[in-house]
Amino acid sequence: MLDRLKLMEARYNEINDLLTKPEIVSDVKKLTELSKEQRSLEKIVTLFHEMQTLENSLEDLKEMKRMGDREIAEMAEAELIDAEKRIEEINKEIKILLLPKDPNDDKNVVVEIRGAVGGDEANIFAGDLFRMYSKYAESKGWKIEVLDSMPSEMGGYSSIEFMVSGESVYSLLKYESGAHRVQRVPLTESKGRIHTSVATVLVMPEATEIDFKLDMNDIRVDTFCSSGPGGQGVNTTYSAVRVTHIPTGMFVACQTYRSQHENKRAALQLLTTRLYDQLVREKEEAEGAERHSLVGKGDRSEKIRTYNYPDNRVTDHRIGLTLNRLDAIIDGKLDLVIEQLVNEDQKRKLSFDEGIRL
């Protein structure tokens, strides 16, 4: 590990020198690439330097403990304990930072939410989840663009698909794929009985041309009249678009926008992302990645979380986490759950990685 840290330190110093050169500063693409690499190395190099400083101080503190008077010896002993504890903490942090990084972590995502089990109540809950993710995105400074939606008559959505754009979106939202269960008294329940309903969430990393190039020769585009709310254009103009990937039979329809061009753009974006997500999941299954990861596999039957309104309780079943903070979480304070998932995921990966090396 020490040799690897020294190599990273040398590369970090090399990048700092390169970023001062005029030919790099004038090359926007190269400047962006190097700045991104510099940021990825900065935290681990900073920790490495802190660890070196602390390790260099250990002998001096031990000497002070042996040779100083009682007051100095006690002070040296306390500082020695703190330094050794901090070195241990830094070692753990560095090991986590050295774990192989998910190549999709820096990507934007496409999220699909569907009302599943529970009829109108499931659709209403799908709308609640969309609001939760929207509030969470707002708190992170991310942007949301609705790509397609099917509003439900009683409120919420039978399905909604949207793009979340910003810094490292997938690294946090990737834990949300799966079945979300809600327990509460529906508005339509006259006898006050608690019902259980389910909405499913699928989080897919946005596909770029580097990741996956869609061959338009494999695509069939059909247009049709949009339906539902939308004004004069509804059922009169062929603005809705369905795109089909002929080799796989996968298709996406979009009628969110008034413009056929915009609907086609959104549909192609959704289709490309779905095809890329399928490739990613096939690769993960082949490698057995799910053995040591908390990231959902996109299985709609995989129950990951329960939201119990009467008790103001949220339970994440993957890590046995229960919080009586449902009101805050559904209002967008999702870090209360996600931070714990990230920590547990890192621990499992670290344990798995060390097990392989042993």
Side-chain angles (χ1 to χ4, degrees):
M1 188 175 79
L2 183 60
D3 290 339
R4 189 175 172 189
L5 289 172
K6 287 180 177 178
L7 286 172
M8 296 174 83
E9 179 188 35
R11 176 57 179 164
Y12 180 74
N13 292 333
E14 180 187 10
I15 293 172
N16 286 340
D17 290 338
L18 288 170
L19 289 174
T20 65
K21 297 185 181 297
E23 63 269 26
I24 297 295
V25 175
S26 60
D27 186 337
V28 176
K29 184 179 178 182
K30 191 65 177 176
L31 180 66
T32 303
E33 289 174 354
L34 287 172
S35 297
K36 184 177 180 180
E37 187 180 356
Q38 180 198 45
R39 288 194 299 274
S40 70
L41 291 171
E42 189 168 21
K43 185 174 182 180
I44 198 164
V45 171
T46 300
L47 286 170
F48 180 43
H49 288 166
E50 184 185 351
M51 184 172 68
Q52 287 178 314
T53 301
L54 288 168
E55 287 176 340
N56 291 335
S57 71
L58 292 181
E59 283 305 317
D60 290 339
L61 289 170
K62 289 175 182 177
E63 184 67 21
M64 288 172 63
K65 181 182 171 183
R66 286 194 302 267
M67 305 300 294
D69 58 30
R70 182 177 176 182
E71 187 177 345
I72 291 176
E74 288 177 353
M75 187 184 304
E77 171 71 11
E79 289 187 22
L80 187 61
I81 292 172
D82 288 344
E84 289 174 340
K85 182 180 178 182
R86 180 57 186 153
I87 288 171
E88 187 179 344
E89 290 173 352
I90 291 172
N91 264 301
K92 289 179 181 178
E93 289 182 57
I94 287 175
K95 285 179 180 178
I96 288 172
L97 290 171
L98 289 176
L99 286 171
K101 188 179 179 183
D102 187 328
N104 291 313
D105 272 354
D106 292 330
K107 291 182 180 294
N108 300 327
V109 302
V110 171
V111 182
E112 174 201 273
I113 305 174
R114 289 182 180 273
V117 179
D120 291 332
E121 173 63 9
N123 295 339
I124 291 169
F125 182 53
D128 294 337
L129 290 177
F130 173 61
R131 178 180 175 275
M132 178 181 75
Y133 292 126
S134 298
K135 298 278 281 185
Y136 182 60
E138 183 182 351
S139 73
K140 294 290 185 184
W142 299 340
K143 294 181 179 178
I144 281 187
E145 177 193 2
V146 175
L147 299 175
D148 195 30
S149 66
M150 293 182 64
S152 172
E153 289 184 6
M154 296 296 292
Y157 302 92
S158 58
S159 70
I160 182 167
E161 293 162 307
F162 54 97
M163 171 79 75
V164 187
S165 307
E167 185 176 351
S168 303
V169 178
Y170 185 74
S171 69
L172 297 177
L173 288 185
K174 64 184 177 183
Y175 300 100
E176 295 303 295
S177 287
H180 294 242
R181 187 174 65 168
V182 62
Q183 295 173 329
R184 64 184 177 188
V185 179
L187 295 174
T188 55
E189 171 57 57
S190 59
K191 297 183 180 179
R193 291 174 298 186
I194 295 174
H195 287 223
T196 298
S197 303
V198 177
T200 60
V201 176
L202 179 62
V203 178
M204 299 170 283
E206 179 190 18
T208 65
E209 285 195 6
I210 296 174
D211 303 315
F212 182 85
K213 179 119 177 120
L214 191 65
D215 187 346
M216 292 305 294
N217 291 321
D218 291 336
I219 299 299
R220 184 179 73 244
V221 179
D222 301 303
T223 59
F224 57 96
C225 293
S226 58
S227 60
Q232 293 181 339
V234 174
N235 294 321
T236 60
T237 60
Y238 285 81
S239 59
V241 173
R242 181 187 297 106
V243 292
T244 304
H245 186 243
I246 298 169
T248 62
M250 188 180 291
F251 69 90
V252 170
C254 185
Q255 60 176 17
T256 299
Y257 302 95
R258 289 180 178 274
S259 160
Q260 184 184 113
H261 175 75
E262 281 298 301
N263 282 326
K264 181 180 177 182
R265 174 194 64 81
L268 286 172
Q269 188 174 38
L270 276 170
L271 181 61
T272 304
T273 296
R274 285 184 180 280
L275 289 167
Y276 174 62
D277 182 66
Q278 186 178 63
L279 289 175
V280 169
R281 296 192 185 283
E282 286 173 357
K283 182 173 181 289
E284 287 176 348
E285 286 177 11
E287 294 175 351
E290 71 278 1
R291 287 178 298 172
H292 56 281
S293 176
L294 287 170
V295 180
K297 294 175 283 185
D299 185 349
R300 298 184 193 280
S301 64
E302 183 183 9
K303 183 179 71 175
I304 66 167
R305 197 173 297 148
T306 296
Y307 304 72
N308 183 291
Y309 275 74
D311 295 333
N312 194 37
R313 184 178 69 236
V314 172
T315 299
D316 195 288
H317 303 286
R318 293 164 293 181
I319 57 175
L321 172 69
T322 296
L323 297 170
N324 292 100
R325 299 287 306 278
L326 184 149
D327 52 347
I329 292 167
I330 208 71
D331 197 43
K333 306 294 191 301
L334 199 51
D335 273 334
L336 291 168
V337 179
I338 289 180
E339 285 181 359
Q340 303 240 29
L341 285 164
V342 171
N343 291 338
E344 180 61 26
D345 198 25
Q346 289 174 339
K347 287 178 186 176
R348 292 188 186 187
K349 287 177 180 176
L350 185 59
S351 175
F352 183 85
D353 184 58
E354 289 179 341
I356 288 177
R357 282 182 289 175
L358 288 173

